Amino acid sequence: MGMNGLDSVQPGSMYTVQIVDGREVTFDEEGFLLDPDLWNERLAEMLALEDGLPELSTIHWHVISFLREYYFANGKAPLNSELRKGTGLSLSEIEAGFPRGIRQGARRLAGLPNPRGCA
Amino acid sequence: MSHDAQIIYLDNAATTFPKPHEVLSEMQEVYGRLGVSPGRGTYDLAAQAEETVSQVRSQICEFFGGDDPERVIFAYNATDALNTLILGLVTPRCHVVSSRLEHNSVLRPLHHLRREGMFSYDLVPFDGQGFINPHDVAGSIRPETKMVILTHASNVLGTIQPVEEVGIICRDHGVPLILDVTQSAGVFPINMKSLGADAVAFTGHKALMGPTGIGGLVLRRGLDIRPTRFGGTGIDSSSLLQTDTYPHRLEAGTINLLGIIGLSTGIRYVIKHGMENTYQNEMTLLRRLRDGLAELQPVHVYCGDNLDNHVAVLLCNIEGMDARDLGDILDGDFHIAARSGLHCAPLVHLDLGTSPSGGVRFSPGPFNTSRDIDVVLDAMREIVMSR
């Protein structure tokens, strides 16, 4: 493992650019949009397809809409309790509804920034 | 579960919570009386505050089996203490031995200095049960090795490392042994002399039951650390040079008196309640958790087969679920606070194969009960069944 594996976990150096609907869209190394303002429904459908979801249901759109509305109203992603209250769904249900779960699934499809915290 | 329910807090390896009432009330009372700049100025109150700080240095020195209270250096936390130590001990082209179990508080300073071309290091591996082999440390030591720096207990796996054996090896090679006792201080007796440690770095806000923002170093007499931060110390003020005198040599700026008061009261609390009692209670809870999780088929527990040489930390995952989502579900749906992710120890997770999402770490503390563990097990069962 190069450099004892330390360099392999450095964020920020592996962005990719894709052309979506004629626009350049930049994604980070985990496939998150760098600029949430570039999101549109077509992009969400494209990302869903990458995740193995050929079609987004009403419930998917409900979760995505809540995430986006909350993010643009508050400048941050909702707390766990707010996500549950705001969607009326348990986090277990949301996790199960998106093939890649909440953070890598719902949140990525909603075009929110990569949640780098915690880790 | 109602969202008004009280949280079940199982992230004590990050910070113990809540703090004992006596710690909080003592902080308020003593700081209310003496909250001035310790040792600055000629008025009595400043001298009394300095005397309080000196008494805490003696208390900490005794607690860790140090040999000189003036070699107790206060810092913001263990990371700050480790930076002071690493940056002040290394010399150009030297070599350091550490392990792949380390927290970023060690890995990042080492890596930064190596990228700057300052020195080189070797990281010894850990085995399938989460322990390093002291022979690997011996094999990594070179003539230019300046220090061996190891975690006493892994913050991811909870495994207590065989540091006494490493201490003997280091003594035989004439290399200082530095221990990061962040996870063990307060639940496990630490005596620098018997462990063969030349320095320990600790934080106050975990099992020592103090507040955040206070930690420190205890140095063996004779281990000299160059200052890497400079400023006011309250002594030798006419000189533009940082004083050589310990502890001020490594403490630039006004120290965290409120944190020091809390740390002191926290240590008294720990001693009063008996470290061994606390440790045994926490390990009983951990075994209950480990045994319950073992019955859930898609749950994988890491390095939990034998908990004899562990602190109360258990890492797990549910197969096919992002660990961070599991942490969110435990919190949002069940009001359980556990730590998900990489735990600031990326190499442990790389080697376990749990990168990049990491795992979920449960760490019971002194205020947890067997009922808390049963609630966690019910929650984990429900999550597993719903998939």
Side-chain angles (χ1 to χ4, degrees):
Chain A
M1 194 176 301
M3 301 291 279
N4 292 307
L6 281 168
D7 283 338
S8 65
V9 290
Q10 292 284 334
S13 57
M14 295 177 64
Y15 294 163
T16 56
V17 177
Q18 291 187 43
I19 305 297
V20 181
D21 288 343
R23 293 180 308 170
E24 275 194 1
V25 182
T26 306
F27 298 89
D28 74 6
E29 65 277 9
E30 291 189 280
F32 283 82
L33 267 183
L34 282 194
D35 181 356
D37 286 328
L38 292 182
W39 181 92
N40 60 30
E41 293 186 355
R42 166 92 185 86
L43 188 64
E45 288 168 345
M46 185 193 87
L47 296 174
L49 202 57
E50 284 179 10
D51 287 357
L53 261 181
E55 193 174 344
L56 287 169
S57 69
T58 308
I59 291 179
H60 290 127
W61 284 118
H62 172 60
V63 173
I64 290 169
S65 298
F66 173 76
L67 284 168
R68 289 193 64 77
E69 284 166 17
Y70 187 99
Y71 179 80
F72 282 101
N74 298 281
K76 61 179 184 175
L79 299 174
N80 296 322
S81 55
E82 292 167 335
L83 179 56
R84 182 184 165 108
K85 188 176 176 187
T87 60
L89 298 166
S90 73
L91 270 68
S92 282
E93 289 172 318
I94 298 172
E95 191 275 339
F98 290 84
R100 295 184 65 199
I102 302 168
R103 292 192 173 221
Q104 299 284 320
R107 188 166 165 152
R108 190 175 83 98
L109 266 55
L112 269 57
N114 192 343
R116 295 190 186 278
C118 132
Chain B
M1 168 171 286
S2 163
H3 273 259
D4 296 329
Q6 198 171 12
I7 195 167
I8 292 177
Y9 184 78
L10 286 165
D11 194 18
N12 291 279
T15 291
T16 48
F17 176 82
K19 298 302 180 195
H21 172 73
E22 59 204 83
V23 170
L24 300 177
S25 60
E26 181 89 350
M27 287 170 70
Q28 186 168 18
E29 193 277 317
V30 178
Y31 197 71
R33 268 190 303 114
L34 293 177
V36 299
S37 289
R40 268 66 161 177
T42 56
Y43 49 94
D44 285 356
L45 208 51
Q48 288 170 325
E50 176 66 10
E51 176 58 24
T52 297
V53 172
S54 294
Q55 288 168 4
V56 180
R57 289 191 206 277
S58 296
Q59 178 191 13
I60 291 170
C61 185
E62 184 181 347
F63 186 78
F64 287 112
D67 57 13
D68 183 353
E70 296 200 342
R71 296 294 184 118
V72 173
I73 315 297
F74 289 114
Y76 302 127
N77 44 49
T79 296
D80 185 40
L82 287 161
N83 270 267
T84 295
L85 193 143
I86 292 168
L87 293 166
L89 200 54
V90 297
T91 50
R93 292 175 297 285
C94 79
H95 174 253
V96 173
V97 178
S98 190
S99 86
R100 295 182 67 83
L101 285 170
E102 303 309 311
H103 187 275
N104 274 338
S105 57
V106 168
L107 294 176
R108 282 184 170 169
L110 293 185
H111 195 58
H112 169 75
L113 291 168
R114 184 165 75 176
R115 283 168 69 97
E116 297 284 308
M118 282 289 291
F119 65 38
S120 61
Y121 62 77
D122 285 302
L123 303 177
V124 300
F126 56 93
D127 65 19
Q129 287 301 311
F131 297 96
I132 64 159
N133 185 333
H135 296 299
D136 290 336
V137 175
S140 300
I141 292 176
R142 306 178 192 166
E144 67 271 26
T145 300
K146 195 76 180 177
M147 67 177 129
V148 172
I149 183 164
L150 294 174
T151 183
H152 188 199
S154 163
N155 73 308
V156 178
L157 300 171
T159 47
I160 298 171
Q161 300 305 308
V163 293
E164 280 177 286
E165 292 169 70
V166 175
I168 293 168
I169 290 166
C170 287
R171 190 188 61 203
D172 290 348
H173 286 79
V175 175
L177 170 62
I178 315 302
L179 293 182
D180 170 5
V181 298
T182 300
Q183 294 298 333
S184 52
V187 286
F188 203 80
I190 295 162
N191 184 294
M192 290 172 63
K193 295 183 188 78
S194 60
L195 293 178
D198 297 89
V200 295
F202 66 94
T203 194
H205 65 99
K206 301 185 195 259
L208 293 176
M209 305 308 290
T212 51
I214 188 69
L217 287 170
V218 185
L219 308 175
R220 175 185 56 76
R221 217 181 266 130
L223 180 71
D224 280 327
I225 312 292
R226 292 188 316 280
T228 46
R229 279 184 296 198
F230 306 88
T233 56
I235 64 167
D236 299 338
S237 297
S238 61
S239 173
L240 294 182
L241 296 174
Q242 188 75 5
T243 180
D244 275 340
T245 308
Y246 289 95
H248 307 95
R249 169 188 179 116
L250 301 175
E251 289 177 354
T254 305
I255 55 179
N256 178 4
L257 178 60
L258 181 62
I260 289 168
I261 296 164
L263 171 62
S264 173
T265 316
I267 292 174
R268 284 204 307 275
Y269 177 92
V270 165
I271 293 170
K272 182 174 130 189
H273 288 81
M275 264 193 290
E276 179 65 19
N277 286 341
T278 304
Y279 176 71
Q280 292 302 339
N281 289 340
E282 291 179 1
M283 291 307 294
T284 299
L285 297 179
L286 200 75
R287 288 192 173 86
R288 188 182 186 96
L289 178 63
R290 188 269 316 265
D291 294 346
L293 291 176
E295 292 175 7
L296 302 176
Q297 189 60 38
V299 175
H300 185 79
V301 174
Y302 299 88
C303 301
D305 293 343
N306 183 346
L307 296 179
D308 286 346
N309 288 308
H310 272 242
V311 292
V313 166
L314 198 70
L315 183 75
C316 73
N317 265 321
I318 292 179
E319 193 179 322
M321 181 184 280
D322 187 306
R324 295 162 296 190
D325 286 351
L326 176 55
D328 290 351
I329 291 168
L330 286 167
D331 178 37
D333 291 352
F334 299 97
H335 249 51
I336 295 166
R339 177 73 177 272
S340 59
L342 297 177
H343 313 98
C344 296
L347 299 187
V348 180
H349 284 284
L350 270 180
D351 294 354
L352 291 174
T354 47
S355 279
S357 60
V360 172
R361 180 186 72 181
F362 294 104
S363 52
F367 302 121
N368 288 117
T369 63
S370 55
R371 184 191 164 276
D372 293 343
I373 300 302
D374 292 344
V375 171
V376 171
L377 290 170
D378 286 345
M380 291 291 282
R381 196 171 295 114
E382 191 175 326
I383 295 166
V384 165
M385 297 288 282
S386 70
R387 291 176 66 77

mmCIF file of all heavy atoms in Angstrom, chain A residues 10-46:
data_model
loop_
_atom_site.group_PDB
_atom_site.id
_atom_site.type_symbol
_atom_site.label_atom_id
_atom_site.label_comp_id
_atom_site.label_asym_id
_atom_site.label_seq_id
_atom_site.Cartn_x
_atom_site.Cartn_y
_atom_site.Cartn_z
ATOM 1 N N GLN A 10 -6.814 10.951 1.301
ATOM 2 C CA GLN A 10 -6.850 12.404 1.190
ATOM 3 C C GLN A 10 -8.037 12.815 0.318
ATOM 4 O O GLN A 10 -8.181 12.339 -0.798
ATOM 5 C CB GLN A 10 -5.561 12.921 0.541
ATOM 6 C CG GLN A 10 -4.338 12.734 1.411
ATOM 7 C CD GLN A 10 -4.286 13.751 2.541
ATOM 8 O OE1 GLN A 10 -4.838 14.829 2.422
ATOM 9 N NE2 GLN A 10 -3.636 13.388 3.632
ATOM 10 N N PRO A 11 -8.918 13.685 0.832
ATOM 11 C CA PRO A 11 -10.054 14.104 0.020
ATOM 12 C C PRO A 11 -9.664 15.164 -1.006
ATOM 13 O O PRO A 11 -8.671 15.845 -0.853
ATOM 14 C CB PRO A 11 -11.002 14.707 1.062
ATOM 15 C CG PRO A 11 -10.112 15.203 2.149
ATOM 16 C CD PRO A 11 -8.911 14.289 2.164
ATOM 17 N N GLY A 12 -10.493 15.282 -2.029
ATOM 18 C CA GLY A 12 -10.416 16.475 -2.865
ATOM 19 C C GLY A 12 -9.646 16.379 -4.153
ATOM 20 O O GLY A 12 -9.706 17.296 -4.963
ATOM 21 N N SER A 13 -8.957 15.277 -4.393
ATOM 22 C CA SER A 13 -8.057 15.263 -5.547
ATOM 23 C C SER A 13 -8.586 14.453 -6.734
ATOM 24 O O SER A 13 -7.914 14.355 -7.741
ATOM 25 C CB SER A 13 -6.703 14.691 -5.127
ATOM 26 O OG SER A 13 -6.883 13.399 -4.582
ATOM 27 N N MET A 14 -9.767 13.884 -6.621
ATOM 28 C CA MET A 14 -10.230 13.001 -7.694
ATOM 29 C C MET A 14 -11.617 13.405 -8.202
ATOM 30 O O MET A 14 -12.524 12.596 -8.296
ATOM 31 C CB MET A 14 -10.263 11.548 -7.201
ATOM 32 C CG MET A 14 -8.877 11.021 -6.880
ATOM 33 S SD MET A 14 -8.932 9.355 -6.239
ATOM 34 C CE MET A 14 -9.585 8.452 -7.631
ATOM 35 N N TYR A 15 -11.776 14.667 -8.525
ATOM 36 C CA TYR A 15 -13.065 15.133 -9.042
ATOM 37 C C TYR A 15 -13.242 14.672 -10.495
ATOM 38 O O TYR A 15 -12.269 14.534 -11.233
ATOM 39 C CB TYR A 15 -13.151 16.656 -8.986
ATOM 40 C CG TYR A 15 -13.157 17.221 -7.580
ATOM 41 C CD1 TYR A 15 -12.873 18.557 -7.357
ATOM 42 C CD2 TYR A 15 -13.458 16.423 -6.481
ATOM 43 C CE1 TYR A 15 -12.889 19.097 -6.072
ATOM 44 C CE2 TYR A 15 -13.475 16.950 -5.203
ATOM 45 C CZ TYR A 15 -13.180 18.275 -5.002
ATOM 46 O OH TYR A 15 -13.188 18.803 -3.736
ATOM 47 N N THR A 16 -14.496 14.454 -10.880
ATOM 48 C CA THR A 16 -14.788 14.113 -12.273
ATOM 49 C C THR A 16 -15.801 15.116 -12.821
ATOM 50 O O THR A 16 -16.628 15.647 -12.071
ATOM 51 C CB THR A 16 -15.372 12.694 -12.405
ATOM 52 O OG1 THR A 16 -16.530 12.596 -11.580
ATOM 53 C CG2 THR A 16 -14.369 11.638 -11.970
ATOM 54 N N VAL A 17 -15.701 15.347 -14.117
ATOM 55 C CA VAL A 17 -16.627 16.283 -14.763
ATOM 56 C C VAL A 17 -17.435 15.518 -15.803
ATOM 57 O O VAL A 17 -16.882 14.749 -16.589
ATOM 58 C CB VAL A 17 -15.848 17.440 -15.443
ATOM 59 C CG1 VAL A 17 -16.816 18.366 -16.168
ATOM 60 C CG2 VAL A 17 -15.031 18.207 -14.412
ATOM 61 N N GLN A 18 -18.751 15.688 -15.755
ATOM 62 C CA GLN A 18 -19.621 15.075 -16.755
ATOM 63 C C GLN A 18 -20.457 16.168 -17.418
ATOM 64 O O GLN A 18 -20.755 17.199 -16.798
ATOM 65 C CB GLN A 18 -20.576 14.067 -16.111
ATOM 66 C CG GLN A 18 -19.896 12.816 -15.581
ATOM 67 C CD GLN A 18 -20.925 11.792 -15.122
ATOM 68 O OE1 GLN A 18 -21.934 11.566 -15.781
ATOM 69 N NE2 GLN A 18 -20.656 11.160 -13.981
ATOM 70 N N ILE A 19 -20.838 15.911 -18.662
ATOM 71 C CA ILE A 19 -21.736 16.843 -19.352
ATOM 72 C C ILE A 19 -23.157 16.308 -19.171
ATOM 73 O O ILE A 19 -23.465 15.188 -19.597
ATOM 74 C CB ILE A 19 -21.406 16.938 -20.858
ATOM 75 C CG1 ILE A 19 -19.921 17.313 -21.053
ATOM 76 C CG2 ILE A 19 -22.322 17.959 -21.539
ATOM 77 C CD1 ILE A 19 -19.532 18.651 -20.501
ATOM 78 N N VAL A 20 -23.988 17.091 -18.502
ATOM 79 C CA VAL A 20 -25.381 16.698 -18.287
ATOM 80 C C VAL A 20 -26.270 17.801 -18.840
ATOM 81 O O VAL A 20 -26.172 18.959 -18.406
ATOM 82 C CB VAL A 20 -25.679 16.495 -16.774
ATOM 83 C CG1 VAL A 20 -27.125 16.068 -16.574
ATOM 84 C CG2 VAL A 20 -24.727 15.479 -16.169
ATOM 85 N N ASP A 21 -27.102 17.438 -19.802
ATOM 86 C CA ASP A 21 -27.984 18.424 -20.457
ATOM 87 C C ASP A 21 -27.183 19.629 -20.973
ATOM 88 O O ASP A 21 -27.580 20.782 -20.812
ATOM 89 C CB ASP A 21 -29.076 18.908 -19.487
ATOM 90 C CG ASP A 21 -30.120 17.842 -19.228
ATOM 91 O OD1 ASP A 21 -30.197 16.869 -20.022
ATOM 92 O OD2 ASP A 21 -30.830 17.958 -18.220
ATOM 93 N N GLY A 22 -26.010 19.322 -21.524
ATOM 94 C CA GLY A 22 -25.193 20.382 -22.115
ATOM 95 C C GLY A 22 -24.409 21.213 -21.115
ATOM 96 O O GLY A 22 -23.754 22.180 -21.494
ATOM 97 N N ARG A 23 -24.496 20.855 -19.826
ATOM 98 C CA ARG A 23 -23.749 21.634 -18.818
ATOM 99 C C ARG A 23 -22.657 20.779 -18.217
ATOM 100 O O ARG A 23 -22.830 19.582 -18.016
ATOM 101 C CB ARG A 23 -24.679 22.086 -17.690
ATOM 102 C CG ARG A 23 -25.714 23.083 -18.097
ATOM 103 C CD ARG A 23 -26.574 23.465 -16.893
ATOM 104 N NE ARG A 23 -27.119 22.289 -16.220
ATOM 105 C CZ ARG A 23 -27.738 22.321 -15.052
ATOM 106 N NH1 ARG A 23 -27.863 23.466 -14.420
ATOM 107 N NH2 ARG A 23 -28.224 21.219 -14.505
ATOM 108 N N GLU A 24 -21.560 21.421 -17.890
ATOM 109 C CA GLU A 24 -20.490 20.720 -17.168
ATOM 110 C C GLU A 24 -20.874 20.605 -15.700
ATOM 111 O O GLU A 24 -21.172 21.603 -15.043
ATOM 112 C CB GLU A 24 -19.175 21.503 -17.275
ATOM 113 C CG GLU A 24 -18.393 21.220 -18.522
ATOM 114 C CD GLU A 24 -16.954 21.755 -18.422
ATOM 115 O OE1 GLU A 24 -16.591 22.317 -17.383
ATOM 116 O OE2 GLU A 24 -16.222 21.587 -19.417
ATOM 117 N N VAL A 25 -20.875 19.382 -15.193
ATOM 118 C CA VAL A 25 -21.218 19.169 -13.780
ATOM 119 C C VAL A 25 -20.061 18.428 -13.120
ATOM 120 O O VAL A 25 -19.610 17.390 -13.625
ATOM 121 C CB VAL A 25 -22.519 18.350 -13.639
ATOM 122 C CG1 VAL A 25 -22.872 18.179 -12.162
ATOM 123 C CG2 VAL A 25 -23.660 19.027 -14.386
ATOM 124 N N THR A 26 -19.579 18.965 -12.016
ATOM 125 C CA THR A 26 -18.422 18.366 -11.335
ATOM 126 C C THR A 26 -18.882 17.551 -10.130
ATOM 127 O O THR A 26 -19.705 18.018 -9.330
ATOM 128 C CB THR A 26 -17.440 19.451 -10.870
ATOM 129 O OG1 THR A 26 -17.110 20.268 -11.996
ATOM 130 C CG2 THR A 26 -16.156 18.830 -10.313
ATOM 131 N N PHE A 27 -18.335 16.346 -10.038
ATOM 132 C CA PHE A 27 -18.637 15.450 -8.923
ATOM 133 C C PHE A 27 -17.352 15.179 -8.130
ATOM 134 O O PHE A 27 -16.263 15.142 -8.707
ATOM 135 C CB PHE A 27 -19.171 14.105 -9.438
ATOM 136 C CG PHE A 27 -20.461 14.227 -10.201
ATOM 137 C CD1 PHE A 27 -20.459 14.452 -11.566
ATOM 138 C CD2 PHE A 27 -21.675 14.120 -9.542
ATOM 139 C CE1 PHE A 27 -21.656 14.572 -12.271
ATOM 140 C CE2 PHE A 27 -22.875 14.236 -10.230
ATOM 141 C CZ PHE A 27 -22.861 14.461 -11.603
ATOM 142 N N ASP A 28 -17.519 14.972 -6.826
ATOM 143 C CA ASP A 28 -16.333 14.635 -6.034
ATOM 144 C C ASP A 28 -16.023 13.147 -6.176
ATOM 145 O O ASP A 28 -16.673 12.429 -6.941
ATOM 146 C CB ASP A 28 -16.491 15.085 -4.567
ATOM 147 C CG ASP A 28 -17.448 14.202 -3.763
ATOM 148 O OD1 ASP A 28 -17.926 13.164 -4.279
ATOM 149 O OD2 ASP A 28 -17.705 14.548 -2.600
ATOM 150 N N GLU A 29 -15.026 12.695 -5.415
ATOM 151 C CA GLU A 29 -14.553 11.323 -5.578
ATOM 152 C C GLU A 29 -15.602 10.281 -5.181
ATOM 153 O O GLU A 29 -15.494 9.116 -5.548
ATOM 154 C CB GLU A 29 -13.253 11.112 -4.780
ATOM 155 C CG GLU A 29 -13.387 11.235 -3.273
ATOM 156 C CD GLU A 29 -13.331 12.684 -2.774
ATOM 157 O OE1 GLU A 29 -13.361 13.599 -3.622
ATOM 158 O OE2 GLU A 29 -13.287 12.879 -1.558
ATOM 159 N N GLU A 30 -16.641 10.717 -4.450
ATOM 160 C CA GLU A 30 -17.706 9.783 -4.083
ATOM 161 C C GLU A 30 -18.976 10.009 -4.890
ATOM 162 O O GLU A 30 -20.022 9.443 -4.569
ATOM 163 C CB GLU A 30 -18.009 9.893 -2.585
ATOM 164 C CG GLU A 30 -16.877 9.370 -1.711
ATOM 165 C CD GLU A 30 -17.294 9.281 -0.251
ATOM 166 O OE1 GLU A 30 -17.286 10.337 0.421
ATOM 167 O OE2 GLU A 30 -17.619 8.183 0.204
ATOM 168 N N GLY A 31 -18.858 10.841 -5.921
ATOM 169 C CA GLY A 31 -19.994 11.041 -6.816
ATOM 170 C C GLY A 31 -20.989 12.081 -6.346
ATOM 171 O O GLY A 31 -22.111 12.153 -6.864
ATOM 172 N N PHE A 32 -20.614 12.914 -5.374
ATOM 173 C CA PHE A 32 -21.506 13.985 -4.916
ATOM 174 C C PHE A 32 -21.292 15.236 -5.764
ATOM 175 O O PHE A 32 -20.159 15.565 -6.122
ATOM 176 C CB PHE A 32 -21.222 14.328 -3.449
ATOM 177 C CG PHE A 32 -21.785 13.335 -2.476
ATOM 178 C CD1 PHE A 32 -21.107 12.160 -2.191
ATOM 179 C CD2 PHE A 32 -22.997 13.561 -1.848
ATOM 180 C CE1 PHE A 32 -21.614 11.240 -1.300
ATOM 181 C CE2 PHE A 32 -23.520 12.644 -0.952
ATOM 182 C CZ PHE A 32 -22.838 11.476 -0.677
ATOM 183 N N LEU A 33 -22.404 15.925 -6.037
ATOM 184 C CA LEU A 33 -22.322 17.202 -6.744
ATOM 185 C C LEU A 33 -21.518 18.205 -5.925
ATOM 186 O O LEU A 33 -21.719 18.318 -4.721
ATOM 187 C CB LEU A 33 -23.726 17.785 -6.896
ATOM 188 C CG LEU A 33 -24.532 17.511 -8.149
ATOM 189 C CD1 LEU A 33 -25.850 18.272 -8.047
ATOM 190 C CD2 LEU A 33 -23.761 17.996 -9.356
ATOM 191 N N LEU A 34 -20.629 18.930 -6.590
ATOM 192 C CA LEU A 34 -19.905 19.974 -5.867
ATOM 193 C C LEU A 34 -20.773 21.211 -5.693
ATOM 194 O O LEU A 34 -20.665 21.915 -4.698
ATOM 195 C CB LEU A 34 -18.626 20.354 -6.613
ATOM 196 C CG LEU A 34 -17.429 19.418 -6.479
ATOM 197 C CD1 LEU A 34 -16.184 20.118 -6.981
ATOM 198 C CD2 LEU A 34 -17.219 18.950 -5.050
ATOM 199 N N ASP A 35 -21.644 21.481 -6.681
ATOM 200 C CA ASP A 35 -22.474 22.678 -6.620
ATOM 201 C C ASP A 35 -23.943 22.268 -6.610
ATOM 202 O O ASP A 35 -24.485 21.873 -7.648
ATOM 203 C CB ASP A 35 -22.171 23.571 -7.836
ATOM 204 C CG ASP A 35 -22.979 24.854 -7.829
ATOM 205 O OD1 ASP A 35 -23.836 25.022 -6.920
ATOM 206 O OD2 ASP A 35 -22.775 25.686 -8.729
ATOM 207 N N PRO A 36 -24.605 22.364 -5.456
ATOM 208 C CA PRO A 36 -26.005 21.928 -5.367
ATOM 209 C C PRO A 36 -26.928 22.702 -6.308
ATOM 210 O O PRO A 36 -28.006 22.218 -6.662
ATOM 211 C CB PRO A 36 -26.381 22.214 -3.900
ATOM 212 C CG PRO A 36 -25.092 22.332 -3.171
ATOM 213 C CD PRO A 36 -24.092 22.840 -4.160
ATOM 214 N N ASP A 37 -26.505 23.886 -6.728
ATOM 215 C CA ASP A 37 -27.352 24.682 -7.622
ATOM 216 C C ASP A 37 -27.435 24.088 -9.024
ATOM 217 O O ASP A 37 -28.311 24.461 -9.805
ATOM 218 C CB ASP A 37 -26.819 26.119 -7.710
ATOM 219 C CG ASP A 37 -27.110 26.902 -6.431
ATOM 220 O OD1 ASP A 37 -28.160 26.627 -5.803
ATOM 221 O OD2 ASP A 37 -26.284 27.741 -6.041
ATOM 222 N N LEU A 38 -26.521 23.192 -9.356
ATOM 223 C CA LEU A 38 -26.546 22.587 -10.697
ATOM 224 C C LEU A 38 -27.492 21.398 -10.772
ATOM 225 O O LEU A 38 -27.645 20.776 -11.808
ATOM 226 C CB LEU A 38 -25.132 22.157 -11.104
ATOM 227 C CG LEU A 38 -24.146 23.309 -11.351
ATOM 228 C CD1 LEU A 38 -22.790 22.771 -11.784
ATOM 229 C CD2 LEU A 38 -24.690 24.279 -12.401
ATOM 230 N N TRP A 39 -28.112 21.073 -9.649
ATOM 231 C CA TRP A 39 -29.018 19.920 -9.604
ATOM 232 C C TRP A 39 -30.290 20.200 -10.401
ATOM 233 O O TRP A 39 -30.777 21.329 -10.447
ATOM 234 C CB TRP A 39 -29.392 19.649 -8.146
ATOM 235 C CG TRP A 39 -30.298 18.465 -7.942
ATOM 236 C CD1 TRP A 39 -29.933 17.183 -7.694
ATOM 237 C CD2 TRP A 39 -31.727 18.468 -7.943
ATOM 238 N NE1 TRP A 39 -31.036 16.384 -7.530
ATOM 239 C CE2 TRP A 39 -32.167 17.155 -7.690
ATOM 240 C CE3 TRP A 39 -32.701 19.451 -8.152
ATOM 241 C CZ2 TRP A 39 -33.504 16.776 -7.617
ATOM 242 C CZ3 TRP A 39 -34.040 19.089 -8.094
ATOM 243 C CH2 TRP A 39 -34.435 17.768 -7.825
ATOM 244 N N ASN A 40 -30.796 19.179 -11.056
ATOM 245 C CA ASN A 40 -32.162 19.224 -11.581
ATOM 246 C C ASN A 40 -32.718 17.798 -11.569
ATOM 247 O O ASN A 40 -32.005 16.845 -11.229
ATOM 248 C CB ASN A 40 -32.227 19.863 -12.982
ATOM 249 C CG ASN A 40 -31.390 19.106 -13.997
ATOM 250 O OD1 ASN A 40 -31.216 17.882 -13.874
ATOM 251 N ND2 ASN A 40 -30.870 19.807 -14.992
ATOM 252 N N GLU A 41 -33.980 17.671 -11.879
ATOM 253 C CA GLU A 41 -34.630 16.360 -11.773
ATOM 254 C C GLU A 41 -34.002 15.349 -12.726
ATOM 255 O O GLU A 41 -33.882 14.167 -12.413
ATOM 256 C CB GLU A 41 -36.127 16.504 -12.030
ATOM 257 C CG GLU A 41 -36.810 17.300 -10.925
ATOM 258 C CD GLU A 41 -38.321 17.330 -11.076
ATOM 259 O OE1 GLU A 41 -38.830 16.806 -12.092
ATOM 260 O OE2 GLU A 41 -38.986 17.880 -10.173
ATOM 261 N N ARG A 42 -33.590 15.828 -13.861
ATOM 262 C CA ARG A 42 -32.955 14.946 -14.854
ATOM 263 C C ARG A 42 -31.664 14.349 -14.276
ATOM 264 O O ARG A 42 -31.362 13.174 -14.448
ATOM 265 C CB ARG A 42 -32.665 15.776 -16.104
ATOM 266 C CG ARG A 42 -31.729 15.146 -17.101
ATOM 267 C CD ARG A 42 -32.473 14.341 -18.155
ATOM 268 N NE ARG A 42 -31.509 13.664 -19.015
ATOM 269 C CZ ARG A 42 -30.972 12.485 -18.757
ATOM 270 N NH1 ARG A 42 -31.289 11.850 -17.662
ATOM 271 N NH2 ARG A 42 -30.122 11.945 -19.597
ATOM 272 N N LEU A 43 -30.919 15.202 -13.554
ATOM 273 C CA LEU A 43 -29.668 14.754 -12.940
ATOM 274 C C LEU A 43 -29.957 13.711 -11.857
ATOM 275 O O LEU A 43 -29.254 12.694 -11.737
ATOM 276 C CB LEU A 43 -28.925 15.951 -12.339
ATOM 277 C CG LEU A 43 -27.525 15.702 -11.815
ATOM 278 C CD1 LEU A 43 -26.582 15.296 -12.934
ATOM 279 C CD2 LEU A 43 -26.991 16.951 -11.143
ATOM 280 N N ALA A 44 -31.003 13.938 -11.074
ATOM 281 C CA ALA A 44 -31.368 12.974 -10.025
ATOM 282 C C ALA A 44 -31.710 11.622 -10.654
ATOM 283 O O ALA A 44 -31.313 10.564 -10.129
ATOM 284 C CB ALA A 44 -32.546 13.499 -9.223
ATOM 285 N N GLU A 45 -32.412 11.657 -11.756
ATOM 286 C CA GLU A 45 -32.774 10.400 -12.435
ATOM 287 C C GLU A 45 -31.535 9.690 -12.969
ATOM 288 O O GLU A 45 -31.429 8.467 -12.910
ATOM 289 C CB GLU A 45 -33.762 10.699 -13.572
ATOM 290 C CG GLU A 45 -35.149 11.074 -13.054
ATOM 291 C CD GLU A 45 -36.058 11.661 -14.124
ATOM 292 O OE1 GLU A 45 -35.546 12.051 -15.213
ATOM 293 O OE2 GLU A 45 -37.259 11.764 -13.861
ATOM 294 N N MET A 46 -30.592 10.474 -13.457
ATOM 295 C CA MET A 46 -29.350 9.887 -13.968
ATOM 296 C C MET A 46 -28.563 9.218 -12.828
ATOM 297 O O MET A 46 -28.085 8.083 -12.956
ATOM 298 C CB MET A 46 -28.503 10.979 -14.618
ATOM 299 C CG MET A 46 -27.250 10.498 -15.302
ATOM 300 S SD MET A 46 -26.159 11.897 -15.674
ATOM 301 C CE MET A 46 -25.248 12.008 -14.147
#
